[in-house]
Amino acid sequence: MPPNYKRLDKDNCVFLFIDHQAGLIQLVRDFDPHEFHNNVLALARVARYYEAPSILTTSFDTGPNGPIVKEIPEALPNAPLIRRPGQINAMDNEDFANAVRKTGKKQVIISGVLTEICVAFPALSLIEQGYDVFIVTDASGTFAEHTREAAHKRMVQAGCQLLNWAAVAAEIHRDWRRDIEGFGAIWRDYVPAYWCLIQSYESAKENKS
């Protein structure tokens, strides 16, 4: 039997933004800083667009890891921020684990810093608990490409799926016709040069009317 295609469903997913902290982000070397910043904010925009529940968390933010970068809670003002006093695996924190459970969602979309620790550890815990786990590869960062690849292999072996933020957005959306302008605006704002395509579309639409 071929494996089931588990599609992301906007009514059954929760977004977890784990440890996107001012100190930890300085360790990210597998992406250009501007590119990584763009990807994380794009994912936050996707979560807001679909009105999916989101949970933010930090680890030891009074220490060198630093506070969560302000753009994420600004983009997701209704998302709770769970400040873990020290647990490295976010799922070891009772408040965070309870927040995930209370959403009632079974599809968990994870991004974070660092990939092999702050992303992989809770991802493996969630897989063990029966969730479907989707890792947003380009909104998660780490020391180097080789450490990222090792983390990806470990998570895939456990049953996680790997996607970038654009794939998350498109799989949830299903059909462009649901909302051409709204969905297109995300691509316009976060995919380099896509704004030209949107301008062409808008110009053609104006000329037609």
Side-chain angles (χ1 to χ4, degrees):
M1 290 288 291
N4 292 331
Y5 175 18
K6 296 179 179 179
R7 297 191 188 197
L8 281 167
D9 179 351
K10 70 181 182 66
D11 297 319
N12 194 31
C13 68
V14 54
F15 287 75
L16 307 183
F17 292 82
I18 302 177
D19 301 351
H20 291 92
Q21 295 169 244
L24 291 175
I25 283 180
Q26 295 181 50
L27 303 177
V28 173
R29 294 290 183 271
D30 57 333
F31 289 100
D32 171 82
H34 176 75
E35 179 186 10
F36 188 63
H37 178 263
N38 179 79
N39 295 341
V40 172
L41 295 190
L43 185 64
R45 173 81 167 270
V46 170
R48 185 177 67 191
Y49 174 72
Y50 291 115
E51 299 180 345
S54 298
I55 302 169
L56 320 180
T57 186
T58 57
S59 172
F60 191 43
D61 61 13
T62 57
N65 292 346
I68 189 169
V69 293
K70 64 179 182 178
E71 291 93 338
I72 298 176
E74 285 175 353
L76 298 166
N78 297 322
L81 171 59
I82 311 297
R83 300 177 63 195
R84 309 191 316 279
Q87 297 95 342
I88 295 174
N89 183 341
M91 288 301 291
D92 288 342
N93 179 274
E94 188 175 347
D95 292 336
F96 182 81
N98 285 338
V100 175
R101 281 192 286 269
K102 285 179 181 177
T103 67
K105 311 302 183 182
K106 297 302 291 182
Q107 296 181 334
V108 183
I109 301 167
I110 301 178
S111 62
V113 181
L114 297 157
T115 306
E116 65 270 42
I117 300 170
C118 308
V119 173
F121 294 176
L124 297 173
S125 293
L126 286 158
I127 285 285
E128 186 178 36
Q129 294 177 28
Y131 290 87
D132 293 325
V133 177
F134 301 79
I135 307 301
V136 188
T137 57
D138 57 352
S140 303
T142 188
F143 304 112
E145 290 185 14
H146 68 87
T147 60
R148 177 183 69 200
E149 294 308 309
H152 286 176
K153 288 176 182 177
R154 185 183 189 193
M155 290 187 284
V156 167
Q157 201 169 42
C160 299
Q161 295 193 49
L162 307 183
L163 300 85
N164 64 357
W165 75 259
V168 171
E171 188 160 272
I172 294 175
H173 199 65
R174 299 278 200 277
D175 190 321
W176 267 98
R177 294 167 296 180
R178 292 177 63 175
D179 178 13
I180 297 171
E181 284 76 15
F183 186 58
I186 301 174
W187 292 71
R188 177 198 65 207
D189 293 346
Y190 294 101
V191 177
Y194 202 86
W195 60 273
C196 293
L197 297 178
I198 293 296
Q199 283 192 19
S200 298
Y201 165 74
E202 291 174 346
S203 177
K205 190 171 68 170
E206 288 171 6
N207 292 335
K208 198 173 181 181
S209 59

